[in-house]
Amino acid sequence: MSQKLPHRTEVPTAETWDLSDLYADSAAYEKAIHALYQDAQSFKAQYEGQLNQLDTIKKGLEAFSQILIELDRAGNYAELLLSVDTTDAERQRLSALFSTNYGKIISQLSFVESELLSLDKETMNVAINELPYGYYLKQLQKRQPHQLHAKAEEALASMAPAFSSASEIYGITKMLDIDFGSFEVNGQQYDMDYTTFEGYYEDHEDTDLRRKSFRHFSDTIKKYEHTTAAVYNAQVQREKLEADLRGYDSVIEYLLEEQDVTLEMYHRQIDTIMSDLAPIMRKYAKIIQRTNQLDELRFEDLKISVDPTYEPEITIEESKKYIFGALDVLGADYVKMLNQAYDDRWIDFPQNKGKQTGAYCASPYASHSYIFISWTGKMTEAFVLAHELGHAGHFTFAQAHQNYLQSEASMYFVEAPSTMNEMLMLNYLFKNSHNPRFKRWAIGSILARTYYHNMVTHLLEAAYQREVYQRVDKGESLNAPALNEIKLDVIKSFWGDVVTYTPGAELTWMRQPHYYMGLYSYTYSAGLTIGTIMAQRIKNEGQPAVDDWLTALKAGGSVSPTKIAKIAGIDITTDQPLKETIQYIGQLVDELEALTNEIEATTDSEK
């Protein structure tokens, strides 16, 4: 059937999130934005030139944190409001209001870090040891060689809206300007937009529908490849300029610093997966081709189910059985958070026109997490929801135990709690069903959604992104043909000759907002590595492993990602966790093949 989405005003309110815990209404948000600038000015007048004694530093950082918490509240409200209906002019205006004022507000605060970095070594060390901001100050101290003059830092801060414009232009082009219209399959017209393609057509069991939708989607976005390339090139060239301005050896080194991981860890994650996981996923691809009885496996077939005739349907209410069943092992406080997420409308479920694609969890320190998802009714949505609730659980625990400046873990770790929940979901499904088809579906789902999405899709993004930055470091400027070439080469190097590369595969780079978020893409596989090992620990060791995990979640951003992983009993300074994770994926693919053999043998004997 044609997937024509309802307007936002037509979806059930009970299935939408409630933003009143951030602001009572949009008028209150607008008032807060204007008050924030005044608060920032007052803060600057009170503390500028005063952050040189321990007592003043402590009070200053407390006041600084409070302004940042309120700024975070406003930013999240603007983004959450817009993301569910990007077509609405009033939501666009409210989002633009934040963007317009952000630079003005943050420029009033830039003196804080400049003054802290001008402290003598002894005073800084005392602050690190005696104030509850030790890790924040240590990370700040590492940036000292790259810090600019205070006035230069203030000027850069004031230009923040201009620096984020590439991301905004990309989003506007993607969600507002591109009109996909409709396409025809066997005499029937099908409406399309980004949401329906990625949520319905892309993995549809009907091969003709799936392939024609991919062709129509690709033909449409190709019309925008030069604009999108120019916008992306503007982003990476801006990052290169700042990296050079601050004296970093490369853009990658500049972007990695805030994650507190080494270049070796970054490159290892990409290189090991490209070499060791590729053969396993090629075997998986052949199973997909076999079970779907395809003469050839095209690029647009890679996301289909291993068993297209077996996809359990699930309602939002029914999802609770699986979510609570899988995650109650994490304890009473975690279950309390799950109940709040459902009962207090932390989650936005509907599919509607203008809603952005994908899923995410926003966690403003001032209130609680908000989960963005587009519920399709497929059982696999339970995995997606478990993933996002993993982020919510992480930030709920971290924010309850850490101050604002030390509440957010390194990007390297941040996907571990979410992907670990997906593994707990798989363990729960295995434990509660012995039906071979259901077990095969469960393995197929975890391979297609969890491992394919996080350790293949996002990892190939990372490999592509690394090549882009390496070219930028050499002084190259990138256009659409160059980006198409890089992306296709990366895809081919992973999948080899098991896949037919349909025109449009090379345009995959156009679809991801991650490229405007620093070195985010590779961290999915890093997080999943930690999550996989942790889920196995919980399965095999029980409560001691759970206790370690909850302690790790509570650590937030108070220690480095390597130390957080160590709290969880995992050593990510070596390649062993990644090698073990890849081995585990290999075992899942082997079991998938064995179940397929068993099911086909049973089917043949019944004929």
Side-chain angles (χ1 to χ4, degrees):
M1 66 177 188
S2 181
Q3 292 293 295
K4 192 163 187 176
L5 297 177
H7 291 283
R8 181 69 180 180
T9 54
E10 299 171 331
V11 301
T13 301
E15 295 180 6
T16 65
W17 53 29
D18 179 6
L19 301 185
S20 63
D21 286 341
L22 287 173
Y23 296 104
D25 52 34
S26 296
Y29 156 76
E30 289 198 60
K31 184 178 178 180
I33 286 285
H34 297 302
L36 261 171
Y37 181 59
Q38 295 173 351
D39 291 344
Q41 286 181 308
S42 298
F43 170 79
K44 184 178 182 181
Q46 182 176 356
Y47 286 101
E48 187 173 28
Q50 304 300 312
L51 301 178
N52 46 30
Q53 300 293 325
L54 198 64
D55 183 58
T56 314
I57 293 171
K58 183 176 184 293
K59 291 179 180 177
L61 287 177
E62 288 172 353
F64 178 60
S65 297
Q66 193 55 48
I67 292 176
L68 291 178
I69 288 170
E70 293 307 312
L71 188 62
D72 180 57
R73 181 202 297 266
N76 273 286
Y77 182 83
E79 172 58 26
L80 294 169
L81 197 67
L82 181 64
S83 66
V84 294
D85 189 359
T86 59
T87 65
D88 184 84
E90 177 62 8
R91 293 170 190 257
Q92 293 170 20
R93 183 187 71 81
L94 292 169
S95 177
L97 180 68
F98 178 80
S99 298
T100 301
N101 283 276
Y102 178 80
K104 293 194 299 183
I105 296 166
I106 209 72
S107 67
Q108 299 298 302
L109 309 177
S110 66
F111 76 92
V112 173
E113 296 190 347
S114 294
E115 289 193 18
L116 291 174
L117 286 175
S118 67
L119 292 172
D120 61 80
K121 189 173 182 180
E122 182 180 352
T123 304
M124 176 61 96
N125 287 338
V126 171
I128 288 172
N129 292 325
E130 296 189 17
L131 298 182
Y133 305 102
Y135 182 66
Y136 164 76
L137 292 171
K138 282 182 182 178
Q139 284 298 98
L140 188 61
Q141 196 174 39
K142 284 170 58 179
R143 282 172 32 202
Q144 195 163 34
H146 306 287
Q147 188 76 357
L148 305 176
H149 187 277
K151 289 297 182 184
E153 293 290 350
E154 182 176 345
L156 284 174
S158 69
M159 294 174 67
F163 291 161
S164 65
S165 61
S167 175
E168 292 178 10
I169 293 168
Y170 168 77
I172 289 170
T173 301
K174 177 178 177 178
M175 297 307 301
L176 297 181
D177 283 350
I178 299 180
D179 182 359
F180 289 95
S182 62
F183 64 103
E184 183 179 327
V185 181
N186 298 324
Q188 183 172 347
Q189 291 292 321
Y190 293 83
D191 294 298
M192 180 187 284
D193 57 23
Y194 251 101
T195 303
T196 52
F197 175 72
E198 294 187 349
Y200 183 74
Y201 301 130
E202 188 175 26
D203 61 354
H204 201 281
E205 67 272 13
D206 185 319
T207 299
D208 200 25
L209 176 60
R210 181 178 64 254
R211 290 177 174 177
K212 287 185 177 179
S213 73
F214 178 78
R215 184 191 308 159
H216 180 75
F217 178 84
S218 299
D219 288 346
T220 303
I221 65 172
K222 188 171 179 61
K223 298 173 184 177
Y224 299 82
E225 65 175 338
H226 298 295
T227 298
T228 308
V231 170
Y232 179 44
N233 185 60
Q235 170 76 12
V236 297
Q237 298 299 338
R238 195 275 299 169
E239 290 167 332
K240 169 64 173 170
L241 283 170
E242 186 162 355
D244 287 348
L245 189 64
R246 295 187 179 279
Y248 289 92
D249 292 335
S250 68
V251 184
I252 289 174
E253 183 188 5
Y254 159 62
L255 294 173
L256 268 185
E257 185 174 74
E258 67 176 357
Q259 296 182 18
D260 197 13
V261 297
T262 64
L263 279 168
E264 190 272 335
M265 291 170 67
Y266 167 74
H267 290 301
R268 180 182 69 207
Q269 201 69 27
I270 297 173
D271 293 337
T272 303
I273 292 175
M274 291 294 289
S275 62
D276 294 11
L277 183 60
I280 293 170
M281 294 307 293
R282 290 173 189 177
K283 180 179 179 180
Y284 165 72
K286 289 180 179 178
I287 297 172
I288 291 292
Q289 181 178 358
R290 167 187 167 187
T291 58
N292 283 271
Q293 300 179 344
L294 301 174
D295 292 336
E296 64 173 355
L297 186 72
R298 299 183 186 177
F299 177 78
E300 61 266 38
D301 298 326
L302 283 167
K303 292 190 176 182
I304 56 178
S305 170
V306 69
D307 189 347
T309 62
Y310 190 90
E311 175 67 61
E313 296 288 322
I314 185 172
T315 65
I316 294 170
E317 184 63 29
E318 289 167 345
S319 72
K320 295 178 182 179
K321 169 188 173 182
Y322 298 96
I323 294 294
F324 286 95
L327 304 183
D328 67 355
V329 67
L330 296 177
D333 287 341
Y334 206 96
V335 170
K336 179 183 177 182
M337 181 277 299
L338 298 176
N339 275 307
Q340 288 177 309
Y342 277 102
D343 297 343
D344 297 343
R345 290 173 55 201
W346 292 10
I347 310 168
D348 198 84
F349 290 101
Q351 294 187 78
N352 61 260
K353 186 174 178 59
K355 189 172 182 178
Q356 291 178 350
T357 59
Y360 68 79
C361 175
S363 298
Y365 194 95
S367 57
H368 54 72
S369 293
Y370 287 92
I371 292 171
F372 176 102
I373 189 172
S374 293
W375 194 263
T376 63
K378 296 177 182 178
M379 178 67 182
T380 48
E381 296 296 350
F383 283 103
V384 179
L385 186 53
H387 177 107
E388 301 306 336
L389 284 166
H391 288 305
H394 182 196
F395 284 102
T396 297
F397 278 72
Q399 291 173 0
H401 291 85
Q402 305 296 332
N403 61 64
Y404 177 79
L405 294 176
Q406 300 198 150
S407 62
E408 188 166 342
S410 164
M411 197 182 288
Y412 189 91
F413 180 83
V414 80
E415 290 296 339
S418 53
T419 52
M420 204 280 288
N421 276 13
E422 295 187 60
M423 303 313 300
L424 292 182
M425 179 68 73
L426 180 66
N427 292 343
Y428 172 78
L429 294 177
F430 271 12
K431 183 179 178 181
N432 289 278
S433 178
H434 301 288
N435 182 304
R437 285 195 73 187
F438 185 83
K439 288 185 70 175
R440 183 173 73 165
W441 170 83
I443 294 174
S445 291
I446 209 75
L447 285 169
R449 296 285 181 169
T450 304
Y451 286 113
Y452 182 103
H453 188 64
N454 296 305
M455 292 194 85
V456 179
T457 298
H458 291 322
L459 198 281
L460 295 184
E461 292 171 13
Y464 157 86
Q465 190 178 37
R466 180 173 66 173
E467 176 64 22
V468 167
Y469 283 128
Q470 287 173 341
R471 293 196 187 191
V472 168
D473 274 327
K474 294 175 184 177
E476 293 185 32
S477 185
L478 298 159
N479 55 22
L483 295 174
N484 291 343
E485 175 193 1
I486 294 170
K487 188 61 182 180
L488 190 58
D489 285 348
V490 167
I491 294 171
K492 286 182 175 180
S493 67
F494 187 87
W495 290 110
D497 60 5
V498 303
V499 171
T500 299
Y501 301 97
T502 319
E506 76 284 357
L507 300 174
T508 307
W509 65 269
M510 293 180 64
R511 296 170 55 183
Q512 278 299 349
H514 291 149
Y515 303 135
Y516 302 86
M517 301 165 67
L519 295 176
Y520 189 14
S521 296
Y522 92 99
T523 65
Y524 279 90
S525 65
L528 184 51
T529 298
I530 297 170
T532 298
I533 303 302
M534 197 65 233
Q536 293 303 303
R537 277 201 65 202
I538 290 174
K539 179 181 178 182
N540 297 327
E541 302 171 33
Q543 194 60 44
V546 171
D547 292 341
D548 286 348
W549 186 240
L550 295 179
T551 302
L553 298 185
K554 292 172 186 176
S558 64
V559 292
S560 70
T562 54
K563 288 184 179 179
I564 296 178
K566 190 173 183 180
I567 291 170
I570 303 166
D571 184 4
I572 58 173
T573 63
T574 73
D575 66 358
Q576 183 180 352
L578 180 55
K579 293 278 190 180
E580 288 180 5
T581 297
I582 292 173
Q583 182 182 23
Y584 175 71
I585 299 171
Q587 292 169 357
L588 287 178
V589 172
D590 289 343
E591 188 167 0
L592 189 72
E593 185 176 49
L595 285 167
T596 297
N597 292 338
E598 177 186 347
I599 292 166
E600 290 181 352
T602 302
T603 303
D604 290 342
S605 67
E606 290 174 352
K607 289 181 180 178

